[in-house]
Amino acid sequence: MALSRTLDVGSRELKKTNQSFYTISSAGHELNAVLGAQLRLTDPCFLHYRSGGLMMARARQLPGATPLVPGSCTLPFPGITAAIVDETGGDVPNGQGGILVVKKPWPSMIRTIYGDPERYKKSYYPPELKGYYLAGDGASRDLQRGYFTITGRIDDVLNVSGHRLGTMEVESALVSHTELVAEAAVVGRPDDLTGEAVCAFVVLKRPRPTGDEAKRIANELRNWVAKEIGPIAKPKDIRFGDNLPKTRSGKIMRRLLRSIAKGEAITQDTSTLENPAILEQLAQSL
């Protein structure tokens, strides 16, 4: 909630409340490098309930042993042979993105799915990845230190005209426009021309724009994303809101955003939403 609140009100507003952070430990969400740099002592880590414990994180007990890099969960713990591979299980060189796997067993790993061992093998050890443990996340390693950065779930990858784009990649490009953007969430929707289209929901560091101002800012953000990533990543739809649909714990409900992007009626359960009224606002296109 504290991290979500920081995004909502901005770090300068937070200072007025006499609150401060020493270290924020982030798990369960990707953390883009821009936000990580703003918060300075953010400490991302990587784990799954099925991994039985931390897989990658900074060695907190040894000050200075693992220097922090904003947005990165640094290096695997001893005994965790994490790697990044392509769709055939081949190793990907540092500096490029790919699929996060663990090549060898570890003591606390998930052992089976009760009553369905075949599903366990198919889900977590797919043969096309040489039987490596599939984390279900995309990642990259930097060239300098070999640090891992989680780029998001591999099922959050968009296929735009044959180009694979991670939703977090586009979100990070949007929030790197620090003068304008406070928060962004990106989803895909079907498109007759490109297969999938990028749809962005954006919260600005100013009142929600409407009319010609909204169109002008949307074009500015499209051009910004094109400069940061490339023209193929330009969002086809950009919608502005006062905030994003979140649970009371601060988690963005992307399944609702997907429905809005597709123009579908919201039929899912919204009882856990902190701000259900925002759905109607975000459904308004430019």
Side-chain angles (χ1 to χ4, degrees), residues 6-8 10 38 175 177-178 180-184 202-205:
T6 302
L7 286 169
D8 286 342
Q38 289 174 344
V175 299
H177 197 317
T178 53
L180 269 180
V181 179
E183 191 174 10
V202 178
V203 179
L204 298 178
K205 295 180 177 179

Side-chain angles (χ1 to χ4, degrees), residues 91 104 115 151 174 188 203 284:
D91 288 321
K104 296 180 180 180
T151 56
L174 286 166
V203 179
Q284 301 171 11

Side-chain angles (χ1 to χ4, degrees), residues 84-191:
I84 299 173
V85 301
D86 58 24
E87 293 176 350
T88 64
D91 288 321
V92 171
N94 289 3
Q96 298 182 24
I99 300 169
L100 180 63
V101 299
V102 181
K103 290 188 171 183
K104 296 180 180 180
W106 66 100
S108 60
M109 63 187 286
I110 183 173
R111 306 301 172 95
T112 188
I113 295 175
Y114 181 72
D116 199 348
E118 285 304 314
R119 180 186 171 197
Y120 164 72
K121 288 191 289 185
K122 182 178 179 181
S123 298
Y124 298 122
Y125 302 93
E128 62 269 22
L129 295 182
K130 300 182 180 180
Y132 298 149
Y133 169 79
L134 174 63
D137 295 290
S140 63
R141 298 188 74 173
D142 69 46
L143 291 170
Q144 184 179 3
R145 293 187 174 93
Y147 278 11
F148 287 77
T149 296
I150 308 301
T151 56
R153 299 293 297 170
I154 56 176
D155 52 10
D156 281 342
V157 173
L158 310 181
N159 192 329
V160 181
S161 298
H163 296 265
R164 293 172 64 82
L165 295 170
T167 55
M168 185 190 174
E169 184 181 9
V170 184
E171 290 170 7
S172 294
L174 286 166
V175 299
S176 69
H177 197 317
T178 53
E179 293 182 6
L180 269 180
V181 179
E183 191 174 10
V186 169
V187 298
R189 66 163 177 80
D191 185 84

Side-chain angles (χ1 to χ4, degrees), residues 240-277:
F240 298 104
D242 294 324
N243 47 55
L244 297 175
K246 298 177 182 178
T247 64
R248 292 175 182 83
S249 63
K251 183 178 179 63
I252 298 173
M253 298 190 72
R254 296 173 190 273
R255 58 183 174 82
L256 300 179
L257 294 179
R258 292 188 189 98
S259 294
I260 292 172
K262 294 175 184 177
E264 299 173 347
I266 302 295
T267 58
Q268 303 100 315
D269 179 27
T270 59
S271 60
T272 60
L273 269 185
E274 183 183 33
N275 49 350

Side-chain angles (χ1 to χ4, degrees), residues 29-60:
H29 288 273
E30 315 91 55
L31 187 68
N32 65 67
V34 175
L35 177 61
Q38 289 174 344
L39 296 174
R40 291 189 179 181
L41 288 175
T42 310
D43 196 1
C45 56
F46 176 76
L47 73 159
H48 287 146
Y49 69 88
R50 54 191 174 274
S51 71
L54 285 172
M55 303 283 278
M56 288 185 272
R58 181 172 65 99
R60 299 177 182 83

